[in-house]
Amino acid sequence: VIKVQVYFQEVTHTTTKRVDLVDLTDQVTGFVHACNVSAGICLIDSFHSTTAIVVNEHECGLMTDLLTKIQELFPRGRGWLHDRVDDNADAHLASMFLGHSTAFPIKDGQLCRGTWQNIFLVELDGPRTRRVLVEVLGTA
Ligand code: ZN
């Protein structure tokens, strides 16, 4: 019989710009270590329809490039129908294309990620307070 344990942690961030990146990697890896599971999976999930979760390198130029590309792909105020409701269709669209969650395997008690794979919350309609749920599911 394999006993699977489940742990949750909610991470809150107050963003300071309309479009921004928040690096969650240290919080996620810290939580994984605290859970003390040897093998399993870690899910990182945003609660919002105008944020996203992405994985890539924490390099300032690249982070700015990503935000530039998002705004190029999903320009604000180009007559999106949802803008009639609350003027943030661009943020919803980018969120849908980028996705609201990601997951990593846990092996030998460590989050299995590449050296350049940092985990980011993408703020698309800030500044606001945002909630991300980290779930660890695994065996001791
Ligand atoms: Zn909206």
Side-chain angles (χ1 to χ4, degrees):
V1 176
I2 297 171
K3 192 177 169 200
V4 174
Q5 293 176 309
V6 185
Y7 303 92
F8 295 98
Q9 185 180 60
E10 192 175 310
V11 173
T12 302
H13 279 281
T14 302
T15 57
T16 56
K17 295 182 222 159
R18 181 160 196 268
V19 177
D20 204 4
L21 289 170
V22 180
D23 193 329
L24 304 173
T25 311
D26 289 347
Q27 282 174 294
V28 173
T29 55
F31 181 59
V32 169
H33 290 149
C35 293
N36 208 26
V37 300
S38 62
I41 191 162
C42 176
L43 174 75
I44 301 104
D45 186 54
S46 161
F47 283 94
H48 309 281
S49 61
T50 54
T51 64
I53 302 288
V54 298
V55 174
N56 220 291
E57 184 177 352
H58 187 127
E59 189 277 312
C60 293
L62 183 62
M63 291 162 70
T64 302
D65 290 342
L66 174 64
L67 299 179
T68 302
K69 189 65 192 174
I70 289 169
Q71 289 165 297
E72 191 182 297
L73 288 169
F74 306 101
R76 193 172 193 192
R78 59 145 282 189
W80 305 113
L81 299 181
H82 179 74
D83 283 347
R84 298 180 209 159
V85 179
D86 58 356
D87 197 30
N88 64 357
D90 60 313
H92 287 279
L93 290 167
S95 170
M96 284 187 269
F97 276 80
L98 293 168
H100 65 90
S101 67
T102 193
F104 284 90
I106 298 167
K107 190 169 170 272
D108 303 324
Q110 306 284 329
L111 202 65
C112 285
R113 64 182 183 94
T115 310
W116 311 115
Q117 284 187 306
N118 279 38
I119 304 158
F120 294 96
L121 169 70
V122 189
E123 173 59 81
L124 298 161
D125 191 28
R128 290 206 224 178
T129 298
R130 300 301 202 168
R131 296 158 61 211
V132 174
L133 186 70
V134 183
E135 178 179 7
V136 168
L137 199 144
T139 58

